[in-house]
């Protein structure tokens, strides 16, 4: 199994050779708006994890701060992008992963800044378990509690020690109430998940966090599931759709979730199942207990990938990649009635070179596309008038 694969059934442009740890060489960049309106950007390039700030919405950045250096062992994939959040006390929390050996066993490190990202304390491991942990997903709640979920392989390691074989990994999570200095003992939310797809996470207005991920169901079927997680418990595993994708490969193509102020869950995902193939959207009004019939994103014969959802109040924003064989374009649809009706898709931007996944973030009612491309650099594009 090739764990370095970054896609199945799609033809993304490969990163052009670029030497250095600067943003111009990054494969993935993750943004976060601080409470004072400045933009934090974390990226990985040249084996280095870096953070910089922008006071003009990404037009210019401060000199980057090196958080960690891991050389060739750094997990550089876009699904394994660094995670960064901050609170109103200028405390910044960052998580990333690096490989501990040549068998793709990884460790998640965390780093903290007490001065708005100007300097960081020495990174340390998120958990003490010696098995592989990878693909952290980080979210900060309104009360500044930090949530981290990741793909954990301790059960796989235990099975191997017992002479047994176990597929995939597990979904693990923890919370911190002191800005990331300490974390509650980690828990397993689902013992059977895909090992190579990032986890989607969104704040639940009813409390806790909603997550979506590629689970492994009976028979080795890698379809998607959602769960509601609070600091005291994790909810039931809810299957989103019966796509029937049986595969032992690594899609590196994680799903996305956004929960609106009404509590409605919106999810989008990539599948190549026998029942449906492509990128799809569905929603749930009962915390994932049931989902609407999946709706295809884009045309049947189009090469669609990397959907990303954002909820701002009860407005829902959805972007995705579309590759025509030469150029990769970002398309946008939006809904102002909590997903009941949607606008027609519009083209936002395109590139002929390598590009990162499209991400969405908001500052109040203003919604932005965050997109890093090798040809055009980092772009923060206001979407409201499109």
């Amino acid at each position: 199994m090739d764990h370095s694969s970054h896609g199945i059934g799609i033809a993304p442009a490969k990163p052009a050779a670029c030497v250095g740890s600067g943003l111009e060489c990054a494969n993935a960049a993750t943004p976060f708006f601080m409470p004072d309106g400045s933009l934090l950007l974390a990226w990985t390039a040249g084996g280095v994890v870096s953070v910089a700030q922008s006071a003009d919405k990404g037009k210019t950045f401060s000199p980057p701060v090196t958080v960690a250096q891991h050389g060739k062992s750094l997990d550089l994939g876009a699904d394994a992008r660094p995670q960064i959040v901050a609170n109103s006390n200028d405390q910044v929390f960052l998580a990333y992963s690096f490989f501990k050996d040549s068998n793709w066993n990884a460790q998640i490190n965390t780093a903290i800044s007490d001065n708005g990202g100007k300097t960081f304390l020495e990174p340390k491991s998120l958990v003490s378990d010696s098995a592989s942990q990878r693909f952290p997903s980080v979210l900060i709640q309104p009360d500044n509690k930090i949530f981290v979920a990741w793909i954990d392989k301790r059960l796989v390691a235990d099975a191997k020690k017992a002479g047994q074989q176990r597929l995939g990994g597990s979904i693990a999570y923890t919370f911190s109430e002191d800005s990331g200095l300490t974390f509650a003992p980690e828990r397993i939310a689902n013992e059977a998940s895909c090992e190579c797809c990032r986890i989607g996470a969104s704040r639940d207005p009813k409390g806790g966090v909603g997550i979506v991920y590629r689970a492994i169901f009976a028979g080795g079927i890698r379809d998607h599931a959602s769960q509601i997680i609070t600091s005291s418990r994790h909810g039931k595993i809810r299957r989103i759709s019966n796509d029937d994708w049986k595969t032992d490969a690594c899609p590196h193509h994680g799903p996305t979730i956004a929960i609106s102020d009404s509590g409605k869950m919106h999810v989008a995902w990539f599948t190549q199942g026998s029942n449906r193939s492509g990128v799809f959207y569905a929603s749930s009004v009962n915390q994932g207990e049931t989902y609407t019939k999946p709706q295809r994103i884009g045309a049947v014969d189009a090469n669609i990938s990397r959907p990303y959802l954002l909820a701002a109040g009860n407005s829902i924003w959805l972007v995705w990649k579309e590759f025509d064989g030469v150029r990769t374009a970002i398309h946008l649809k939006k809904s102002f009635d909590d997903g009941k009706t949607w606008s027609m898709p519009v083209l936002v931007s395109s590139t002929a070179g390598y590009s990162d996944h499209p991400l969405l973030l908001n500052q109040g009612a203003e919604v932005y596309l965050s997109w890093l491309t090798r040809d055009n650099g980092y772009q923060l594009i206001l979407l409201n008038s499109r």
Side-chain angles (χ1 to χ4, degrees), residues 13-168:
K14 293 182 179 179
C18 188
V19 178
S21 60
L23 186 55
E24 69 279 5
C25 289
N27 291 335
T30 307
F32 186 87
F33 273 126
M34 297 186 72
D36 67 0
S38 60
L39 181 74
L40 282 172
L41 193 69
W43 70 85
T44 51
V48 177
V49 182
S50 302
V51 171
Q53 297 181 49
S54 173
D56 54 10
K57 303 282 176 58
K59 294 181 178 65
T60 60
F61 283 93
S62 63
V65 175
T66 296
V67 179
Q69 300 186 55
H70 291 277
K72 292 182 178 178
S73 66
L74 190 63
D75 199 352
L76 292 170
D79 253 29
R81 66 182 53 254
Q83 303 283 298
I84 190 166
V85 295
N87 62 28
S88 56
N89 297 320
D90 265 357
Q91 294 171 311
V92 179
F93 174 81
L94 183 142
Y96 66 93
S97 60
F98 66 96
F99 296 111
K100 298 185 289 187
D101 55 39
S102 59
N103 295 317
W104 309 104
N105 291 307
Q107 174 178 312
I108 295 173
N109 268 6
T110 65
I112 294 173
S113 169
D114 284 326
N115 53 18
K118 295 181 178 64
T119 59
F120 281 82
L121 301 178
E122 188 74 18
K124 62 180 182 179
S125 178
L126 174 65
V127 299
S128 58
D129 183 84
S130 61
S132 180
Q133 286 90 28
R134 201 178 170 193
F135 299 104
S137 179
V138 176
L139 185 146
I140 190 165
Q141 296 182 292
D143 61 0
N144 288 336
K145 193 177 296 181
I146 293 175
F147 167 82
V148 185
W150 66 92
I151 307 297
D152 191 291
K153 300 196 76 169
R154 71 187 66 192
L155 298 182
V156 175
D158 290 345
K160 188 175 182 180
K161 290 176 185 174
Q164 301 166 353
Q165 188 174 18
R166 189 183 183 102
L167 288 173

Side-chain angles (χ1 to χ4, degrees), residues 281 309 316-318 333-335 339-344:
Y281 161 86
L309 282 158
I316 313 300
W317 304 70
L318 169 63
K333 285 204 310 184
K334 49 192 177 182
S335 169
K340 295 183 181 69
T341 60
W342 291 83
S343 67
M344 293 296 291

Side-chain angles (χ1 to χ4, degrees), residues 141 173 175 187 206-209 228-235:
Q141 296 182 292
Y173 69 94
F175 286 87
R187 299 179 180 177
K206 296 180 181 178
V209 179
I228 298 293
I229 295 177
T230 67
S231 55
S232 61
R233 63 183 292 272
H234 49 265

Side-chain angles (χ1 to χ4, degrees), residues 129-386:
D129 183 84
S130 61
S132 180
Q133 286 90 28
R134 201 178 170 193
F135 299 104
S137 179
V138 176
L139 185 146
I140 190 165
Q141 296 182 292
D143 61 0
N144 288 336
K145 193 177 296 181
I146 293 175
F147 167 82
V148 185
W150 66 92
I151 307 297
D152 191 291
K153 300 196 76 169
R154 71 187 66 192
L155 298 182
V156 175
D158 290 345
K160 188 175 182 180
K161 290 176 185 174
Q164 301 166 353
Q165 188 174 18
R166 189 183 183 102
L167 288 173
S170 305
I171 301 296
Y173 69 94
T174 185
F175 286 87
S176 173
E177 296 184 353
D178 56 10
S179 306
L181 287 171
T182 62
F183 282 88
E186 60 270 22
R187 299 179 180 177
I188 301 295
N190 187 341
E191 294 186 357
S193 75
C194 186
E195 65 266 50
C196 298
C197 290
R198 70 177 183 179
I199 302 163
S202 180
R203 286 198 298 265
D204 178 11
K206 296 180 181 178
V209 179
I211 64 170
V212 59
Y213 54 88
R214 191 184 303 277
I216 300 180
F217 292 97
I221 303 299
R222 300 198 184 206
D223 286 350
H224 287 85
S226 66
Q227 282 179 274
I228 298 293
I229 295 177
T230 67
S231 55
S232 61
R233 63 183 292 272
H234 49 265
K236 290 183 177 179
I237 300 165
R238 306 290 193 184
R239 189 167 183 158
I240 293 171
S241 66
N242 183 8
D243 300 335
D244 196 32
W245 189 8
K246 182 175 175 56
T247 176
D248 287 332
C250 295
H252 286 265
H253 206 142
T256 177
I257 182 172
I259 305 178
S260 67
D261 282 356
S262 73
K264 189 173 182 178
M265 298 169 67
H266 304 264
V267 298
W269 69 97
F270 168 79
T271 182
Q272 289 194 328
S274 59
N275 291 334
R276 64 181 56 81
S277 180
V279 174
F280 294 87
Y281 161 86
S283 62
S284 172
V285 295
N286 50 19
Q287 293 201 301
E289 185 173 344
T290 57
Y291 278 93
T292 57
K293 182 181 178 181
Q295 301 174 37
R296 180 180 295 280
I297 297 173
V300 174
D301 57 351
N303 194 342
I304 308 293
S305 66
R306 310 298 175 190
Y308 199 89
L309 282 158
L310 174 79
N314 286 328
S315 66
I316 313 300
W317 304 70
L318 169 63
V319 292
W320 66 90
K321 277 185 171 181
E322 192 162 330
F323 183 61
D324 65 4
V326 178
R327 298 187 69 82
T328 298
I330 301 298
H331 292 268
L332 163 73
K333 285 204 310 184
K334 49 192 177 182
S335 169
F336 294 114
D337 55 10
D338 212 357
K340 295 183 181 69
T341 60
W342 291 83
S343 67
M344 293 296 291
V346 296
L347 173 66
V348 177
S349 187
S350 70
T351 184
Y354 168 78
S355 64
D356 188 12
H357 302 348
L359 304 176
L360 295 171
L361 71 165
N362 69 302
Q363 190 175 50
E366 293 183 340
V367 176
Y368 295 86
L369 167 69
S370 170
W371 200 33
L372 175 71
T373 72
R374 191 55 45 84
D375 291 345
N376 303 107
Y378 181 74
Q379 302 167 79
L380 191 68
I381 302 172
L382 182 63
L383 297 179
N384 291 63
S385 61
R386 294 175 184 264

